[in-house]
Amino acid sequence: MAWQTPMRACIGTNAFRMRYSLRGGGAAGTFMGVEVKSLEPGDGKTFPKKGDMLTMHYTGKLTSGAKFDSSLDRGSPFKFQIGVGQVIKGWDEGVMRMSLGEKAQLRISPDYGYGARGFPPVIPANSELIFDVQLLGINNQKAN
């Protein structure tokens, strides 16, 4: 089963680099929630809002570096509605911090990903997830 199905069911350094930790806490050396690290800036003014239809490219990896899915490999961007539970919580919260055209890396703790259930056989239980993402479009507006 492709990654797109479970996501729909539940789910470079530069001066513009940012990190957002949307939920702190946890034991020393751990984090909870989603961290967003900007890799390439977007337009800096157009951000998704709850209910917007987004178009994105992504590559999902485990912390071991093992890739489990990629829209780039399929040659087709992923389209979904943000903020309404169509994607995992880490995407719903992290992607809303990105501006149109931005490339970023999302680091998602298990409680904001697939949790204790995982998504066998590709995502083990309690896995931290890393996504390299690019926000290509918001509703009918496309990135330059």
Side-chain angles (χ1 to χ4, degrees), residues 27-143:
T30 66
F31 83 104
M32 295 171 62
V34 58
E35 291 180 354
V36 179
K37 180 172 71 173
S38 184
L39 303 175
E40 289 182 24
D43 70 3
K45 60 185 178 184
T46 311
F47 294 86
K49 298 178 299 300
K50 182 177 179 178
D52 283 345
M53 287 299 299
L54 304 187
T55 303
M56 298 188 68
H57 267 309
Y58 72 90
T59 298
K61 302 174 282 190
L62 301 174
T63 55
S64 67
K67 179 169 58 173
F68 55 83
D69 193 28
S70 175
S71 65
L72 293 165
D73 290 349
R74 284 191 300 282
S76 178
F78 178 54
K79 297 181 182 188
F80 66 100
Q81 191 173 15
I82 191 75
V84 297
Q86 287 187 353
V87 292
I88 58 176
K89 189 173 183 178
W91 271 52
D92 263 346
E93 294 194 11
V95 171
M96 297 231 300
R97 303 285 184 172
M98 296 174 62
S99 66
L100 186 62
E102 185 171 357
K103 288 184 180 182
Q105 186 173 81
L106 306 179
R107 179 179 170 215
I108 300 173
S109 65
D111 60 323
Y112 273 46
Y114 289 98
R117 73 186 184 285
F119 191 72
V122 283
I123 301 173
N126 298 311
S127 291
E128 183 178 307
L129 306 173
I130 306 292
F131 287 94
D132 293 320
V133 296
Q134 182 177 16
L135 182 53
L136 302 171
I138 302 174
N139 297 319
N140 294 322
Q141 192 172 1
K142 306 290 182 225

